[in-house]
Amino acid sequence: MVVITVKMHIDNASEGGLVKRSCQVKALPSVYHSSMPGWVWATLLIACTWSLRPSVAAQQTSHYSGTACHPDCTKRGNCNIEEGRCECPFGFDGPSCGNALLSSCQASATDIPFPWIFFPKNCECYRQAHSFFSCKAGCTPSLYHIAEIRCYEFAGKPPEEQWSAFPEVASDPGVVWRKGAFKEDGVALEVVRWEEGAVTRDLWGRTETALPPSKCPASCSGRGSCVRDQRGAEAVHCVCQKGFAGQTCETATDVLCTNRCSGRGACSQGFCHCSPPWFGAGCTRSLAFPPRENAATSRLKLRIYMYELPANIAFPIALDDNLEDFTGAYLAYMALKDQLVTDDVVRTEDPSEANLFYVPAQVYAYSSNVGSMIPHVQNVIRYINTTYPYWSKHQGRDHVMFISTDKGGCYAPAESRNMIKLTHFGFHARASDDPHGVKPLPLDSAEGCFNPERDVLMPPLHTNGAEAAVRVYADIVAARGVDPGRTTLLLFSGSIREKDPHYSGGSRQALLHLLTALGDPSVSDVIYQEGSVEHYETKLRSSKFCFAPYGSGYGMRLSTAMMHGCIPVVIQDHVVQPFEGEIHYDKFSLRLAHADIPNILPILRAISDEECAHLRLGMARHYTNFIWGPEGTAYNLTMRALRRRASNMWAELYRRKAQEVTRLL
């Protein structure tokens, strides 16, 4: 028998604030030293080495006054005392936010710049935007990556006097109209007649005539663009900038500001101008902590440090195109951030005690649901890697980023490979495993779009029916799950795309073909319809089962079913579901394979009323897992899942360290 002892000596008398420690590793008898497996030695050496790390109790925990900013910083920005940096609104930088980076995208010196392309801007704005966003091949300063632009210039004025103030008279000979496109090396423009230049269009290609603000009621309050649509002269209306609402854009909203600035500042289109000494996202920071080398981090308690990214690196409306596209389904990343900044148990302002680092990128704001996230994600990672020391310590493995696009991490850049990704789409398969898989193929051929041991799959932000769900489940629980009013066997309403075999993995199309072949009366108790159906909420509450496929990426049908007490029938081959591993789907849903579709109706009809009641009671216990905000538990499960991922990460790092030590023995 080999007896192994690890001797540790801890001297509580410290020198210079440091606790003296030592450790020894011995094996008896010595004859066994050479035969002891290398991994045993490696494990002992690592354990001994880690024991020398200072305990959490021994660490310095008090904050300090931080680094002061320029005296004029807080006139326009916030003093980030942790970095000694003035936090400026989007489009500005400098010690007092006096340096305008996109001045020609402003209507005036006090305006916020927006380099959108659907409404004509000053041509100099697009030149500045090309440089600001570091555009290369395929890059356009447009949310939807549309290269074509229309713009104007004021003849005889230098670049510093070229504002994006729409000409009062478009035909004025002092206004030069141009159109062109973004190129890799700049902006290529040609002169056109004003009738061709003063044209705006929406995402779907519908053209409208751009007008000066004075042609609209109240000049759109100086917060929007004036347009006349195809219906004629009477159809003149304001298209408000994000952050404003109303017929004349008269109402400022604070929904774009994290936690609505926590009552400690004023929200201006996504930027919180905080009252000193507050700074950071939502005006929730006021402390700074000195850096501590080799500080110990807890392996048991989740502590997350969130980076304070400059607005010029990540901003919620940096590529605003005057579109009402901030739909709730994609905004779970905002809901999570709102809760994280107020979570004193999990969030830490001291990066030295953090075991995870949250990177608050604005992927949706820079790519929408289907655009390329690559330029933005690369830029954010480049910034944190060159500004802070934490990324390089574990090559980003302890960093977390929310990716809220339709296909989640399918097309995330290689730089983000090690990161923990929070996403809505859990496709996890090699291309050869699934003939109905995601197209084009995910960038990672081995893991697909999602690694279950590293990433976290979360529900989208669901606002349709969330409030009514409380009453729905109160009735279900009171009736012990029995609900005789649900007379429709199966419900689905939405896009089917019969000729697109990869949409939804082919499940929507396969079910359509089955029901079409069966015909009445076999499917008289089934509602399966392309597009929308009338009284959808009522039909959801009168259906036993709801078909829950995915779409071109993640789908909303699972959350919708959960809000209405309709048992989800999930057919999503190779796709992980929200919080799978944290909650048990067999308690409240049916999971079928694509191969089960030909027999789906007999399968559903064979489920007894008692089994349905049991599943509904399970839904009553779990429906809040699909709700964000204080009414739900989606945030709580996210934190629980992140704690598991942190444990997985530490185990992997420990294994790698053991292998390194073994190679040295």
Side-chain angles (χ1 to χ4, degrees), residues 329-651:
Y330 295 98
L331 303 186
Y333 72 96
M334 295 178 68
L336 180 140
K337 189 177 178 183
D338 282 348
Q339 291 187 263
L340 178 61
V341 296
T342 58
D343 188 347
D344 294 333
V345 175
V346 172
R347 188 194 184 190
T348 175
E349 295 185 51
D350 182 1
S352 298
E353 71 171 17
N355 41 37
L356 289 181
F357 294 82
Y358 185 68
V359 182
Q362 296 280 348
V363 173
Y364 182 72
Y366 285 75
S367 66
S368 189
N369 60 320
V370 296
S372 173
M373 73 181 83
I374 291 178
H376 176 60
V377 173
Q378 287 177 331
N379 193 35
V380 168
I381 292 176
R382 186 184 307 113
Y383 176 81
I384 63 174
N385 194 22
T386 56
T387 307
Y388 306 94
Y390 313 114
W391 174 276
S392 59
K393 188 175 181 180
H394 298 302
Q395 292 74 50
R397 288 181 175 85
D398 52 356
H399 282 58
V400 184
M401 182 183 290
F402 204 133
I403 297 177
S404 53
T405 57
D406 277 4
K407 294 185 179 178
C410 292
Y411 310 116
E415 292 88 338
S416 67
R417 179 180 176 86
N418 292 333
M419 296 183 76
I420 299 172
K421 299 177 187 66
L422 310 181
T423 177
H424 298 313
F425 188 46
F427 184 79
H428 177 64
R430 292 184 294 271
S432 59
D433 289 339
D434 183 17
H436 305 286
V438 173
K439 299 292 182 180
L441 294 176
L443 295 180
D444 190 327
S445 60
E447 297 176 358
C449 309
F450 184 81
N451 181 343
E453 294 184 356
R454 180 195 62 210
D455 305 326
V456 180
L457 202 289
M458 301 181 302
L461 183 66
H462 198 286
T463 57
N464 182 19
E467 294 182 3
V470 177
R471 298 188 297 273
V472 168
Y473 285 105
D475 293 341
I476 286 175
V477 171
R480 298 183 180 180
V482 177
D483 195 345
R486 295 184 179 271
T487 55
T488 298
L489 177 68
L490 179 64
L491 170 67
F492 174 79
S493 171
S495 180
I496 297 176
R497 302 188 190 180
E498 185 177 0
K499 297 182 179 180
D500 182 356
H502 299 291
Y503 184 69
S504 75
S507 62
R508 302 190 192 203
Q509 302 88 327
L511 186 51
L512 173 66
H513 296 158
L514 171 70
L515 297 176
T516 302
L518 291 175
D520 289 331
S522 300
V523 296
S524 59
D525 56 351
V526 175
I527 299 176
Y528 196 83
Q529 182 170 323
E530 174 93 34
S532 60
V533 297
E534 292 184 354
H535 310 297
Y536 186 45
E537 300 280 325
T538 301
K539 287 181 170 60
L540 284 165
R541 288 192 290 269
S542 62
S543 298
K544 290 183 179 180
F545 301 99
C546 285
F547 179 40
Y550 64 89
S552 60
Y554 81 91
M556 288 290 298
R557 298 314 188 285
L558 172 61
S559 294
T560 300
M562 292 298 294
M563 295 305 106
H564 295 86
C566 184
I567 301 169
V569 180
V570 181
I571 303 179
Q572 301 186 28
D573 289 7
H574 304 291
V575 177
V576 179
Q577 299 303 304
F579 302 129
E580 193 166 346
E582 306 298 325
I583 56 179
H584 300 289
Y585 272 75
D586 60 338
K587 303 295 184 183
F588 61 88
S589 69
L590 294 179
R591 299 289 294 273
L592 301 180
H594 188 278
D596 294 322
I597 290 177
N599 300 310
I600 187 172
L601 296 186
I603 290 173
L604 298 183
R605 297 190 197 284
I607 299 174
S608 67
D609 291 341
E610 290 77 13
E611 290 174 299
C612 287
H614 179 76
L615 289 170
R616 291 191 197 103
L617 291 175
M619 294 173 71
R621 291 189 291 271
H622 289 286
Y623 81 95
T624 59
N625 299 154
F626 297 82
I627 299 176
W628 290 94
E631 303 83 7
T633 55
Y635 174 80
N636 303 55
L637 260 71
T638 301
M639 295 301 109
R640 192 167 83 185
L642 283 176
R643 181 180 172 183
R644 286 180 182 268
R645 300 323 187 265
S647 297
N648 292 346
M649 177 198 67
W650 289 120

Side-chain angles (χ1 to χ4, degrees), residues 90 102 115 128-136 139-141 312 318-319 366 375:
F90 173 74
L102 292 165
Q128 293 176 354
H130 188 281
S131 175
F132 180 86
F133 290 106
S134 301
C135 282
K136 305 296 182 184
C139 170
T140 60
N312 293 328
L319 293 178
Y366 285 75

